[in-house]
Amino acid sequence: MSKASLQFENVSFSYENGHEEKEILNTLSFDVQNGEFVSIIGPSGSGKSTIFKLITGLNQPANGEIFINETNYSNRLGKVGYMPQQDLLMPWRTIIENAALPLEIQGMKKREAYDKVRELLVEFGLNGVEHKYPSELSGGMKQRISFLRTVLSGSNVLLLDEPFSSLDAITRLSMQEWLLTQWQKLKLSILFITHDVDEALFLSDRIFVFTESPVRKFVEVNVPLERPREIRDIHTPAVIEVKEQLIEQLRMGSTQ
Amino acid sequence: MKRWNSYFAPFILIFSFFVSWQVVAMIIAMPFILPTPLQVIAKVWDLKDILFLVHLPATLMIIVTGLALSIILGVGLAVWMNLSKTAEKAFYPILVSSQTIPIIALAPIFVLWFGYSIWSKVAVTLLITFFPITVSTFDGLRSSSKELKELLLTMGASKRDIFFKLNVPTALPYFYSGLKVAVTLSVIGAAIGEWLGAQSGLGYFSRRMMTQFDGAGVFAPIVLLSAVGISLFLAVVVLEKITLKWRKSE
Ligand SMILES: Nc1ncnc2c1ncn2[C@@H]1O[C@H](COP(=O)(O)OP(=O)(O)OP(=O)(O)O)[C@@H](O)[C@H]1O
Ligand SMILES: [Mg+2]
């Protein structure tokens, strides 16, 4: 019996801007199972990042409940690993200092934290950069460090908000393959936001699609692919069918 | 080579300035009004004992004390205004309006309060350097990235974590900018303070020479004052380079 790493139960949320109220979620329910890779796609401004802000605890739902590893925490801050869209490395900290940030905040001793970071740097194939500053690294490298920092939060649940959208196609592909390796090795549950249908198909077990605003229910799509995958697998007829279906739904959603 | 080039232009400019000054002063030939640069240098040499052993230390004492107080109070107030909206609303307008008070006009009051002790001059220095330090530090603390703050929160950071790991490093370059302005102003502050009433100090000495119509004697302590200002400025630049290593790689 697999357990749910993440569960939304009838969650509603609106932004209030002065007098105006913008409803984003209306009694939305979904779950992500332990060890599952789930992508969220949807038009710009539909509320994808808002879902992450609710999970991390930066925002509170107006109604409904959010469970992380089957627990309804009163304060969710610090309970999941969150990787924002920009790499958001601190320019004044070296790579090792940046990556150690979540450990430092958890109160770990500096030396112990650095040892742990070094171990992971080697594992991620990133050794030799620990004393560089972020401005000295390429975009792909920075995203890797940012991911490493997210992993070091220690949570089994990671939220990745369009992590690869600023990378070129080749770097992006190698990052996707790299991410899948790390995901399998570390047995993580990942919720992944993207604009790119191919990316979602290549990476995910399931895809959630925003088709309405405010959203009551995601359209859910299972990706008909085994693991391990290769990039050319997304050109098999079964996948292409799913892709066409997805694009159709997205188009409908954005013309509403 | 590149380094040399960047110093070349200002060097030429300053050199030609001194040459023209020398020529003009020699044509006018009234050294009690306009001494030549060479006469000023000779004067510095003549008076080296009293200038370097009596008046320079007195002025440095004022500058260092004034700057130290200014940093402590300015940074303290900036932090307080950053932590409390009420403090910001209360102090910010006062801070800005304090800059519209002509400090030279206020300085005699300090003499009234503190007499001819060092504190009347320290007060002038403090008043003149407090503003750039406070405002730049406050702006720096305020300018930290909202996204980074949210990221830290999602890691479970406390208010204290956010202050020390985000706000302080963000504010540091701003603080240095404020400090650079402040150290140059501190020299002016100390000199003004000494003009108004003192028994020693470079500003006091310059004024005393004026009453004796000793043109070169007026300029000699000013040369030292300006050297102090430049040295303090360079000291801040060096400190900045050491503590903000990451900026070099940008
Ligand atoms: N702090 C806020 N206050 C008010 N409205 C907001 C706020 N943040 C987001 N919104 C609005 O809520 C909607 C959803 O925003 P969100 O950032 O979740 O979209 P998104 O799906 O992540 O979009 P994108 O793909 O462009 O990143 C948008 O219309 C946005 O304008
Ligand atoms: Mg977004």
Side-chain angles (χ1 to χ4, degrees):
Chain A
M1 216 24 239
S2 73
K3 288 185 170 178
S5 296
L6 195 63
Q7 256 175 301
F8 266 44
E9 262 185 36
N10 301 316
V11 173
S12 302
F13 179 78
S14 319
Y15 282 113
E16 271 154 56
N17 257 347
H19 309 288
E20 257 180 274
E21 192 169 305
K22 189 168 163 48
E23 199 177 13
I24 311 284
L25 311 181
N26 182 354
T27 62
L28 176 74
S29 300
F30 68 85
D31 60 61
V32 176
Q33 297 299 309
N34 206 359
E36 205 178 11
F37 199 125
V38 175
S39 290
I40 299 182
I41 55 178
S44 193
S46 51
K48 303 182 294 295
S49 301
T50 305
I51 288 181
F52 278 14
K53 290 203 169 160
L54 284 166
I55 300 171
T56 53
L58 288 172
N59 286 335
Q60 299 307 326
N63 276 306
E65 283 169 347
I66 297 172
F67 296 87
I68 297 165
N69 293 316
E70 318 214 299
T71 316
N72 184 359
Y73 294 101
S74 58
N75 176 10
R76 292 184 299 282
L77 290 170
K79 296 289 186 280
V80 298
Y82 166 57
M83 177 170 168
Q85 186 162 349
Q86 314 91 327
D87 57 69
L88 287 188
L89 298 173
M90 293 176 161
W92 58 84
R93 283 181 170 235
T94 59
I95 296 308
I96 196 163
E97 289 166 346
N98 262 295
L101 191 60
L103 300 176
E104 238 174 73
I105 285 172
Q106 287 160 23
M108 194 185 271
K109 287 249 158 54
K110 216 168 214 170
R111 178 175 297 175
E112 207 180 325
Y114 286 3
D115 283 345
K116 207 164 163 187
V117 173
R118 269 194 211 100
E119 226 171 83
L120 266 189
L121 277 170
V122 172
E123 212 167 295
F124 281 23
L126 290 168
N127 36 345
V129 300
E130 64 229 57
H131 297 302
K132 292 207 160 115
Y133 287 97
S135 54
E136 300 171 270
L137 300 190
S138 68
M141 282 288 231
K142 279 192 269 199
Q143 290 292 354
R144 280 179 213 228
I145 304 296
S146 175
F147 179 73
L148 191 152
R149 180 178 62 183
T150 312
V151 168
L152 281 169
S153 69
S155 175
N156 63 323
V157 183
L158 302 194
L159 312 176
L160 314 182
D161 194 346
E162 301 188 42
F164 307 145
S165 59
S166 60
L167 303 178
D168 64 88
I170 306 289
T171 316
R172 177 190 273 230
L173 178 60
S174 75
M175 288 295 290
Q176 288 164 351
E177 287 166 341
W178 181 81
L179 176 64
L180 283 182
T181 320
Q182 302 306 329
W183 165 65
Q184 268 160 342
K185 199 154 66 182
L186 303 169
K187 301 194 170 35
L188 301 164
S189 309
I190 292 184
L191 194 54
F192 187 98
I193 292 178
T194 177
H195 274 122
D196 182 342
V197 177
D198 284 341
E199 183 170 65
L201 286 167
F202 177 49
L203 295 174
S204 334
D205 298 311
R206 282 189 294 159
I207 301 173
F208 295 161
V209 193
F210 270 91
T211 52
E212 52 181 6
S213 171
V215 60
R216 271 176 295 262
K217 197 168 181 349
F218 288 133
V219 171
E220 252 186 67
V221 177
N222 280 303
V223 180
L225 277 178
E226 299 297 309
R227 299 202 188 257
R229 298 173 181 174
E230 282 178 53
I231 187 67
R232 62 167 170 273
D233 295 342
I234 66 167
H235 300 302
T236 56
V239 179
I240 288 177
E241 199 177 305
V242 171
K243 180 176 171 178
E244 272 162 13
Q245 194 187 322
L246 272 174
I247 289 173
E248 190 57 36
Q249 272 152 355
L250 278 172
R251 199 172 278 153
M252 267 165 47
S254 62
T255 52
Q256 254 183 3
Chain B
M1 196 61 219
K2 210 168 159 195
R3 248 184 122 71
W4 204 81
N5 262 336
S6 70
Y7 293 133
F8 189 65
F11 179 77
I12 289 290
L13 199 66
I14 291 171
F15 187 74
S16 22
F17 170 75
F18 279 116
V19 168
S20 343
W21 178 1
Q22 179 79 26
V23 170
V24 171
M26 279 162 74
I27 293 169
I28 295 177
M30 288 192 282
F32 54 94
I33 293 175
L34 187 65
T36 69
L38 290 177
Q39 283 169 332
V40 172
I41 290 169
K43 198 75 180 180
V44 171
W45 182 253
D46 283 347
L47 297 172
K48 62 181 182 301
D49 286 345
I50 190 158
L51 278 181
F52 282 94
L53 297 179
V54 178
H55 298 296
L56 179 64
T59 303
L60 271 181
M61 193 65 201
I62 294 167
I63 290 176
V64 170
T65 317
L67 270 179
L69 283 177
S70 191
I71 291 171
I72 293 168
L73 295 175
V75 171
L77 181 58
V79 169
W80 191 17
M81 289 198 300
N82 180 248
L83 296 180
S84 146
K85 213 70 217 148
T86 325
E88 182 190 340
K89 284 206 185 109
F91 287 113
Y92 205 84
I94 298 179
L95 197 63
V96 173
S97 45
S98 79
Q99 287 310 295
T100 61
I101 303 170
I103 288 166
I104 303 189
L106 208 60
I109 296 182
F110 292 138
V111 177
L112 222 65
W113 289 349
F114 301 109
Y116 288 115
S117 74
I118 180 175
W119 296 108
S120 56
K121 290 123 231 165
V122 168
V124 178
T125 311
L126 178 65
L127 199 66
I128 210 169
T129 56
F130 184 69
F131 182 74
I133 290 181
T134 313
V135 168
S136 60
T137 310
F138 177 64
D139 283 346
L141 288 171
R142 215 168 29 169
S143 69
S144 54
S145 135
K146 180 170 164 279
E147 286 81 17
L148 264 175
K149 184 183 166 191
E150 288 189 345
L151 181 68
L152 283 172
L153 282 174
T154 68
M155 293 175 182
S158 61
K159 274 211 158 109
R160 195 191 144 88
D161 285 326
I162 289 175
F163 183 77
F164 283 107
K165 294 182 201 304
L166 176 62
N167 293 350
V168 169
T170 311
L172 209 52
Y174 291 78
F175 166 75
Y176 282 127
S177 305
L179 191 57
K180 280 186 211 162
V181 177
V183 294
T184 46
L185 287 178
S186 72
V187 177
I188 300 175
I192 293 176
E194 287 171 354
W195 277 349
L196 292 162
Q199 278 104 36
S200 61
L202 295 168
Y204 153 81
F205 188 76
S206 172
R207 196 181 145 109
R208 201 180 80 189
M209 291 295 112
M210 198 148 31
T211 60
Q212 299 175 4
F213 287 96
D214 181 348
V218 172
F219 277 95
I222 291 176
V223 170
L224 286 198
L225 276 174
S226 127
V228 168
I230 293 171
S231 319
L232 284 173
F233 186 88
L234 290 179
V236 177
V237 171
V238 169
L239 193 66
E240 193 181 15
K241 282 241 164 74
I242 293 171
T243 51
L244 302 182
K245 267 194 222 117
W246 58 275
R247 283 196 134 192
K248 254 191 302 191
S249 53
E250 291 233 306

